[in-house]
Amino acid sequence: MKHVPDLSSDRGFGSDGRTVRTTDDGTLNEVDENAVETALLLKEAAQAAGTPAAEVIALTLGPAPAVDAVRRALQMGADSGVHVCDDALAGADYAVTARGLAAAVRAQGQVDVLVTGMAALDGLGAVLPSLLAADLGWPQLTVAGEVTLTDGVLIATRDVDGATETWRATPPAVVSVTDVANSPRLARMKEILAARQKPVQTVTAADLGLTEADLTVRTAVRSATRRPEPEPEIVADDGTGGQQLADYLIAHDLLIKESR
Amino acid sequence: MTTVLVPLDQGDQPLRPATLEVLTLARDLGEVTVLAFAEPGEELLTDLGRYGVGRVLVTQLPEPATSSALVGQAVASAVRQVSGAVVLLPSTFTSKEVAAHAAHHLQAGLLIDVGDLRLDAGRLVGGKRVFGGTWETECAATTEVAVATVRPNAVLPTAATTPATPQVQPVTTEAAAPAGLELLERQVADHSGDVRPALAEAAIVVAGGRGTFGDFEAVEELADVLGGAIGTTRDCVDEGWLPHEAQVGQTGTTIAPRVYIGAGISGAPHHVGGMSAAGTVIAVNLDDEAPLVQLADFAVIGDLSSVLADAAEALRAYRDER
């Protein structure tokens, strides 16, 4: 899961091209709540099918405040947490983030399903699930609107780019879910109190055996400039609002033209 | 000369606007080679030639041929064979997955949803608008080989000044789906009868929000006059007013049209995150303090049904005069 800057906060970049984060403006990436819910449902299904030892581990990679994302998952019902936190990971691109998370997954021993949200609301890249699957060599069931685990088999349905697909995978596998996959449960006071006692392990890049090559980014932000605040041209509709809208489109050459 | 590889995410279907945009950008970076997963017909080859494609590699994929992991490996394999330096794809969900797998296998820098591209000292540099459209960033690959996905409507598709005659070359690519993965069912929605363009790639999007109170007639009328797609917000989908496929936002469709018109939409962060790469933003709203009005280029404060209907009528009149 990912701890992302609050959407309504003033987000920006520092002079080093990295996202500026403050401790008080972060939040758990919203669709990651659906990922946590999926994990909890899969655990409950496994327990009902006779696997009492099933557990949910909440995993994140990020600076110190990112542990809040893990805490949120523990409050929802996850059993324990892992926070990959290391200055060596500052400025991590997709590749380094995926390698760090994949290494943390391997360090857990036997993991059957890695569940993520389909995208992070701050970047909307939506590539981490695929990078994790590639790194781990696991099949992926991504952008799933529905996922089940029955008799040791994962079945997921996704609706993407005009096609509806149903995929089957045997664990271990990577699953990414959309917000239609389920309704995340609300943390109850009892769970919130219990979450304080749950273990959260903080691990460094060295703990995970990540080498310098593993930590070398393949992309870097070269420049980041704040766009000038738009100065909207606002007109009050006095009966000619529609005509003015049409005139705006015409005057700014915004009607579709034949391009071929 | 840099070799730019463009995988075709289609069979022998006519090229989509998003692919034409990618080919237009690719041509400025180097020599364009297309990777096709089906034998191209005469018509497709002619179209590729018009866009300056000099070579078409054709490869056959094993099943499940729509597995992103498998296609990504095939792309990586083809790039190695032609010593490609850049892979370009349109920013669809599946293409982004393919891009991720290809980048992993090539150990390449990965740029996602970029709007413009250039080579600087042999490194691919892409521009991208982030944080709800408030910042403009430039991201560079630090590797010799780079993979990038291009957001729709980043450029106007333009044919090459000199058409090429593509050489068709069969290649064998190495690719296998991960063990344990199986495609059980795949249904492609039939859009042949659609009168409107696909939301994700539309050059013009007219979106209606809660302020429509479920009546999208004026939204649809203006969209049809403009040849645009219909979009909406998450709460309208929750109300059952429009299907989920019309939802613009984080968990819906991310759009980057040339023109976005938001009617009766306040501009919640969810929605804005999905449309902030739009070229020109127009808002129609009763509330002049709505966030979308504040980030718009042009806004009309008024009742959306009459404003949109009047705009549609004015545009029809303008067309008829020409």
Side-chain angles (χ1 to χ4, degrees):
Chain A
M1 60 195 55
K2 189 175 183 187
H3 189 247
V4 297
D6 191 313
L7 280 182
S8 51
S9 72
D10 187 29
R11 298 162 295 165
F13 289 87
S15 54
D16 55 0
R18 293 174 187 167
T19 311
V20 175
R21 292 172 197 268
T22 58
T23 49
D24 58 355
D25 72 349
T27 177
L28 172 61
N29 181 46
E30 200 175 319
V31 71
D32 290 358
E33 286 187 19
N34 298 91
V36 175
E37 181 64 30
T38 300
L40 294 170
L41 291 172
L42 293 179
K43 170 188 163 177
E44 286 159 11
Q47 285 177 330
T51 312
E55 62 170 328
V56 173
I57 305 168
L59 167 66
T60 197
L61 180 153
V67 76
D68 288 352
V70 169
R71 291 276 169 214
R72 186 77 184 275
L74 297 179
Q75 291 173 356
M76 285 177 68
D79 300 292
S80 63
V82 176
H83 178 199
V84 184
C85 184
D86 196 323
D87 284 344
L89 291 162
D93 62 349
Y94 298 128
V96 170
T97 306
R99 279 198 296 271
L101 287 170
V105 170
R106 286 191 194 96
Q108 299 310 306
Q110 191 203 335
V111 171
D112 297 299
V113 189
L114 176 60
V115 193
T116 73
M118 61 177 272
L121 194 39
D122 54 346
L124 290 171
V127 291
L128 247 294
S130 295
L131 288 173
L132 286 165
D135 195 315
L136 294 163
W138 295 358
Q140 71 186 55
L141 304 175
T142 44
V143 201
E146 198 184 324
V147 56
T148 59
L149 177 61
T150 316
D151 299 330
V153 173
L154 285 159
I155 306 266
T157 302
R158 69 182 209 156
D159 214 337
V160 90
D161 298 338
T164 303
E165 300 175 334
T166 306
W167 290 87
R168 173 191 193 278
T170 42
V174 174
V175 170
S176 85
V177 295
T178 72
D179 64 341
V180 303
N182 50 47
S183 304
R185 64 194 68 184
L186 295 171
R188 290 165 305 172
M189 188 48 77
K190 195 175 136 212
E191 289 283 3
I192 292 172
L193 293 173
R196 293 183 188 165
Q197 309 301 321
K198 292 177 180 173
V200 178
Q201 196 189 354
T202 306
V203 294
T204 63
D207 294 339
L208 296 171
L210 293 168
T211 63
E212 202 165 311
D214 290 330
L215 298 171
T216 306
V217 294
R218 294 174 188 160
T219 55
V221 175
R222 276 207 179 174
S223 67
T225 35
R226 188 180 278 278
R227 297 177 69 215
E229 291 276 325
E231 283 179 35
E233 188 182 338
I234 302 178
V235 300
D237 181 26
D238 56 0
T240 64
Q243 180 71 50
Q244 290 191 62
L245 200 169
D247 290 345
Y248 184 89
L249 292 170
I250 295 163
H252 291 80
D253 197 18
L254 294 173
L255 303 179
I256 292 180
K257 279 189 290 280
E258 280 295 317
S259 56
R260 298 182 64 188
Chain B
M1 189 75 175
T2 304
T3 295
V4 183
L5 189 86
V6 177
L8 288 190
D9 57 344
Q10 54 166 51
D12 195 27
Q13 299 295 306
L15 294 167
R16 295 180 299 121
T19 310
L20 297 178
E21 291 164 20
V22 168
L23 292 174
T24 303
L25 278 171
R27 219 168 47 215
D28 285 341
L29 298 173
E31 279 175 353
V32 186
T33 294
V34 154
L35 177 64
F37 301 101
E39 195 67 37
E42 277 306 314
E43 209 167 316
L44 181 58
L45 281 178
T46 307
D47 281 347
L48 289 170
R50 291 182 57 222
Y51 275 77
V53 175
R55 177 167 54 167
V56 179
L57 307 177
V58 184
T59 192
Q60 305 292 331
L61 294 179
E63 289 300 322
T66 54
S67 154
S68 305
L70 196 153
V71 179
Q73 283 173 53
V75 169
S77 173
V79 168
R80 289 194 198 99
Q81 290 182 46
V82 299
S83 303
V86 175
V87 179
L88 286 192
L89 306 102
S91 270
T92 61
F93 266 113
T94 25
S95 287
K96 289 206 274 192
E97 294 186 354
V98 167
H101 281 277
H104 172 83
H105 290 290
L106 293 165
Q107 303 200 357
L110 178 60
L111 308 177
I112 294 293
D113 291 337
V114 290
D116 56 81
L117 285 163
R118 62 190 169 87
L119 283 167
D120 181 7
R123 295 290 180 269
L124 189 67
V125 184
K128 181 174 175 176
R129 208 179 275 184
V130 299
F131 292 150
T134 52
W135 285 74
E136 204 79 63
T137 64
E138 259 202 343
C139 192
T142 57
T143 49
E144 277 179 31
V145 179
V147 179
T149 74
V150 179
R151 67 166 174 80
N153 302 301
V155 287
L156 276 178
T158 320
T161 38
T162 327
T165 309
Q167 303 300 310
V168 179
Q169 185 183 331
V171 291
T172 306
T173 49
E174 283 168 40
L181 181 68
E182 199 184 328
L183 177 64
L184 299 180
E185 199 184 346
R186 178 178 162 87
Q187 283 186 322
V188 180
D190 180 11
H191 289 292
S192 55
D194 284 8
V195 287
R196 298 193 183 106
L199 177 61
E201 296 177 2
I204 298 181
V205 171
V206 185
R210 189 163 276 286
T212 61
F213 299 101
D215 179 2
F216 284 82
E217 194 183 328
V219 171
E220 289 174 5
E221 186 187 358
L222 182 59
D224 289 343
V225 170
L226 291 169
I230 305 278
T232 193
T233 59
R234 184 169 164 174
D235 48 1
C236 292
V237 173
D238 289 345
E239 290 283 355
W241 294 342
L242 285 178
H244 180 253
E245 63 192 44
Q247 183 183 320
V248 172
Q250 181 205 7
T251 51
T253 302
T254 305
I255 59 169
R258 287 182 66 214
V259 183
Y260 164 95
I261 301 173
I265 291 178
S266 65
H270 253 289
H271 184 76
V272 170
M275 51 62 70
S276 54
T280 299
V281 175
I282 296 173
V284 180
N285 208 304
L286 286 171
D287 176 9
D288 65 357
E289 299 206 339
L292 192 66
V293 170
Q294 296 308 312
L295 69 82
D297 298 285
F298 180 75
V300 180
I301 306 307
D303 176 65
L304 70 93
S305 52
S306 59
V307 171
L308 298 190
D310 290 351
E313 192 184 328
L315 288 166
R316 272 193 297 265
Y318 171 74
R319 289 245 162 90
D320 291 346
E321 278 171 27
R322 296 177 81 204

